[in-house]
PDB file of all heavy atoms in Angstrom:
ATOM      1  N   VAL Q 158     -89.544   7.632-105.504  1.00  0.00           N
ATOM      2  CA  VAL Q 158     -88.192   7.372-106.007  1.00  0.00           C
ATOM      3  C   VAL Q 158     -88.125   7.248-107.523  1.00  0.00           C
ATOM      4  O   VAL Q 158     -87.052   7.387-108.104  1.00  0.00           O
ATOM      5  CB  VAL Q 158     -87.608   6.103-105.346  1.00  0.00           C
ATOM      6  CG1 VAL Q 158     -87.365   6.345-103.867  1.00  0.00           C
ATOM      7  CG2 VAL Q 158     -88.525   4.898-105.541  1.00  0.00           C
ATOM      8  N   GLY Q 159     -89.239   6.995-108.180  1.00  0.00           N
ATOM      9  CA  GLY Q 159     -89.223   6.875-109.631  1.00  0.00           C
ATOM     10  C   GLY Q 159     -89.555   8.163-110.354  1.00  0.00           C
ATOM     11  O   GLY Q 159     -89.701   8.165-111.577  1.00  0.00           O
ATOM     12  N   ALA Q 160     -89.629   9.262-109.619  1.00  0.00           N
ATOM     13  CA  ALA Q 160     -90.124  10.513-110.199  1.00  0.00           C
ATOM     14  C   ALA Q 160     -89.245  11.050-111.318  1.00  0.00           C
ATOM     15  O   ALA Q 160     -89.727  11.741-112.210  1.00  0.00           O
ATOM     16  CB  ALA Q 160     -90.274  11.571-109.103  1.00  0.00           C
ATOM     17  N   ASP Q 161     -87.954  10.747-111.284  1.00  0.00           N
ATOM     18  CA  ASP Q 161     -87.041  11.272-112.303  1.00  0.00           C
ATOM     19  C   ASP Q 161     -86.911  10.355-113.520  1.00  0.00           C
ATOM     20  O   ASP Q 161     -86.128  10.650-114.431  1.00  0.00           O
ATOM     21  CB  ASP Q 161     -85.656  11.514-111.694  1.00  0.00           C
ATOM     22  CG  ASP Q 161     -85.655  12.678-110.711  1.00  0.00           C
ATOM     23  OD1 ASP Q 161     -86.565  13.521-110.782  1.00  0.00           O
ATOM     24  OD2 ASP Q 161     -84.744  12.732-109.857  1.00  0.00           O
ATOM     25  N   GLY Q 162     -87.654   9.256-113.533  1.00  0.00           N
ATOM     26  CA  GLY Q 162     -87.636   8.363-114.684  1.00  0.00           C
ATOM     27  C   GLY Q 162     -86.519   7.338-114.624  1.00  0.00           C
ATOM     28  O   GLY Q 162     -85.577   7.464-113.832  1.00  0.00           O
ATOM     29  N   PRO Q 163     -86.608   6.303-115.475  1.00  0.00           N
ATOM     30  CA  PRO Q 163     -85.645   5.201-115.421  1.00  0.00           C
ATOM     31  C   PRO Q 163     -84.215   5.608-115.749  1.00  0.00           C
ATOM     32  O   PRO Q 163     -83.266   4.990-115.254  1.00  0.00           O
ATOM     33  CB  PRO Q 163     -86.185   4.199-116.449  1.00  0.00           C
ATOM     34  CG  PRO Q 163     -87.107   4.984-117.325  1.00  0.00           C
ATOM     35  CD  PRO Q 163     -87.670   6.069-116.474  1.00  0.00           C
ATOM     36  N   ASN Q 164     -84.028   6.641-116.557  1.00  0.00           N
ATOM     37  CA  ASN Q 164     -82.662   7.028-116.918  1.00  0.00           C
ATOM     38  C   ASN Q 164     -81.857   7.486-115.712  1.00  0.00           C
ATOM     39  O   ASN Q 164     -80.635   7.321-115.665  1.00  0.00           O
ATOM     40  CB  ASN Q 164     -82.684   8.139-117.978  1.00  0.00           C
ATOM     41  CG  ASN Q 164     -83.125   7.635-119.334  1.00  0.00           C
ATOM     42  OD1 ASN Q 164     -83.109   6.428-119.583  1.00  0.00           O
ATOM     43  ND2 ASN Q 164     -83.531   8.531-120.204  1.00  0.00           N
ATOM     44  N   ALA Q 165     -82.541   8.069-114.737  1.00  0.00           N
ATOM     45  CA  ALA Q 165     -81.846   8.551-113.541  1.00  0.00           C
ATOM     46  C   ALA Q 165     -81.234   7.405-112.751  1.00  0.00           C
ATOM     47  O   ALA Q 165     -80.233   7.583-112.047  1.00  0.00           O
ATOM     48  CB  ALA Q 165     -82.809   9.343-112.659  1.00  0.00           C
ATOM     49  N   LEU Q 166     -81.813   6.226-112.873  1.00  0.00           N
ATOM     50  CA  LEU Q 166     -81.324   5.082-112.110  1.00  0.00           C
ATOM     51  C   LEU Q 166     -79.954   4.615-112.585  1.00  0.00           C
ATOM     52  O   LEU Q 166     -79.216   3.987-111.827  1.00  0.00           O
ATOM     53  CB  LEU Q 166     -82.320   3.925-112.203  1.00  0.00           C
ATOM     54  CG  LEU Q 166     -83.735   4.211-111.673  1.00  0.00           C
ATOM     55  CD1 LEU Q 166     -84.653   3.026-111.965  1.00  0.00           C
ATOM     56  CD2 LEU Q 166     -83.713   4.527-110.183  1.00  0.00           C
ATOM     57  N   THR Q 167     -79.627   4.911-113.829  1.00  0.00           N
ATOM     58  CA  THR Q 167     -78.353   4.431-114.381  1.00  0.00           C
ATOM     59  C   THR Q 167     -77.148   5.092-113.719  1.00  0.00           C
ATOM     60  O   THR Q 167     -76.023   4.600-113.839  1.00  0.00           O
ATOM     61  CB  THR Q 167     -78.293   4.671-115.897  1.00  0.00           C
ATOM     62  OG1 THR Q 167     -78.369   6.083-116.147  1.00  0.00           O
ATOM     63  CG2 THR Q 167     -79.438   3.968-116.613  1.00  0.00           C
ATOM     64  N   GLU Q 168     -77.368   6.208-113.021  1.00  0.00           N
ATOM     65  CA  GLU Q 168     -76.268   6.904-112.354  1.00  0.00           C
ATOM     66  C   GLU Q 168     -75.976   6.334-110.967  1.00  0.00           C
ATOM     67  O   GLU Q 168     -74.971   6.691-110.346  1.00  0.00           O
ATOM     68  CB  GLU Q 168     -76.601   8.401-112.218  1.00  0.00           C
ATOM     69  CG  GLU Q 168     -76.946   9.097-113.525  1.00  0.00           C
ATOM     70  CD  GLU Q 168     -75.805   9.051-114.521  1.00  0.00           C
ATOM     71  OE1 GLU Q 168     -74.644   9.214-114.103  1.00  0.00           O
ATOM     72  OE2 GLU Q 168     -76.074   8.843-115.724  1.00  0.00           O
ATOM     73  N   ILE Q 169     -76.848   5.453-110.478  1.00  0.00           N
ATOM     74  CA  ILE Q 169     -76.714   4.942-109.113  1.00  0.00           C
ATOM     75  C   ILE Q 169     -75.690   3.812-109.077  1.00  0.00           C
ATOM     76  O   ILE Q 169     -75.827   2.806-109.777  1.00  0.00           O
ATOM     77  CB  ILE Q 169     -78.067   4.408-108.589  1.00  0.00           C
ATOM     78  CG1 ILE Q 169     -79.127   5.520-108.597  1.00  0.00           C
ATOM     79  CG2 ILE Q 169     -77.901   3.820-107.194  1.00  0.00           C
ATOM     80  CD1 ILE Q 169     -78.969   6.567-107.562  1.00  0.00           C
TER      81      ILE Q 169
END
Side-chain angles (χ1 to χ4, degrees):
V158 292
D161 290 339
N164 288 343
L166 300 174
T167 62
E168 305 299 320
I169 301 287

